[in-house]
Amino acid sequence: AIYALQLAEKGYNILLIDINGDAAQELSLQLTHLYNVSAPVLCIDLTLPHAAEQIVSLCKENNWCVEILINNAGMLITTPIEETESDRLQRIIALHCTTPLLLCRLLVPLMKEQGKGFILNISSITAWMDWPVIGMYGCTKRFVKGYSKALRIECKDSPVSVTTAIFGAVDTPLLTN
């Protein structure tokens, strides 16, 4: 929510994407009331295979110009890898790796075409540290760090900027299932 609030304060319209539709609607009302910006909500599970394509299709259908992409959705698994159900492992990989990577893949050409774009991918200090019981979190955040660096280099002579934020522990709700 903090990114949306800061961007709305600067006058940006925001597409709020969240699995929790009620929370996103509440934030949308707050942004609209406080900053008089448009803040439509898309309630979608970003672990689903075609989530990135659905998001980009919605933007194209509505002629929404995406200037800033923030890949910030997070999930935390707190069981040893060997004890974690396969579907939970697939979900964290999709949420942290696949969908954000595909969003970048689909939006970078559009950003280049419009002459501007900024991507912020959220990684973690755990990308450098393999911690027991949250091993998959660190592994997926290492992937974010790596593809973000590669994408930044690939976009260096374009109007698209790619930044990776690396945080330690942050008090934020993470999807845990």
Side-chain angles (χ1 to χ4, degrees):
I2 192 70
Y3 296 116
L5 287 164
Q6 289 179 350
L7 289 169
E9 185 178 14
K10 295 180 184 321
Y12 284 93
N13 295 315
I14 312 288
L15 172 59
L16 297 168
I17 301 170
D18 201 321
I19 195 169
N20 183 341
D22 292 338
Q25 285 292 353
E26 186 177 317
L27 180 57
S28 174
L29 291 172
Q30 183 181 4
L31 296 174
T32 303
H33 175 73
L34 289 175
Y35 303 110
N36 196 32
V37 297
S38 174
V41 171
L42 175 60
C43 183
I44 189 171
D45 181 347
L46 294 173
T47 69
L48 296 177
H50 299 289
E53 290 87 353
Q54 287 179 290
I55 293 165
V56 174
S57 289
L58 178 69
C59 291
K60 287 179 177 179
E61 288 167 14
N62 289 284
N63 292 317
W64 293 336
C65 171
V66 179
E67 286 184 49
I68 300 171
L69 168 64
I70 301 175
N71 284 313
N72 189 42
M75 175 181 184
L76 184 62
I77 296 176
T78 57
T79 56
I81 294 169
E82 68 192 69
E83 296 174 16
T84 306
E85 298 85 10
S86 295
D87 66 315
R88 292 183 75 211
L89 294 173
Q90 290 171 346
R91 286 178 52 117
I92 196 170
I93 292 168
L95 186 63
H96 291 180
C97 303
T98 308
T99 298
L101 176 63
L102 291 175
L103 282 168
C104 290
R105 160 59 189 97
L106 294 168
L107 289 172
V108 164
L110 298 176
M111 290 174 167
K112 286 180 177 180
E113 187 177 296
Q114 69 197 18
K116 60 185 167 187
F118 180 79
I119 297 170
L120 176 61
N121 290 321
I122 307 301
S123 184
S124 168
I125 192 72
T126 63
W128 283 277
M129 309 160 90
D130 297 311
W131 295 13
V133 202
I134 62 165
M136 281 308 297
Y137 186 83
C139 290
T140 59
K141 292 303 185 173
R142 189 165 26 264
F143 178 80
V144 171
K145 181 175 77 83
Y147 88 77
S148 297
K149 184 175 183 180
L151 185 59
R152 179 182 179 94
I153 293 166
E154 291 171 0
C155 291
K156 76 176 177 115
D157 293 324
S158 81
V160 179
S161 175
V162 180
T163 299
T164 309
I166 309 289
F167 297 109
V170 176
D171 184 14
T172 185
L174 289 172
L175 184 64
T176 57
N177 57 11

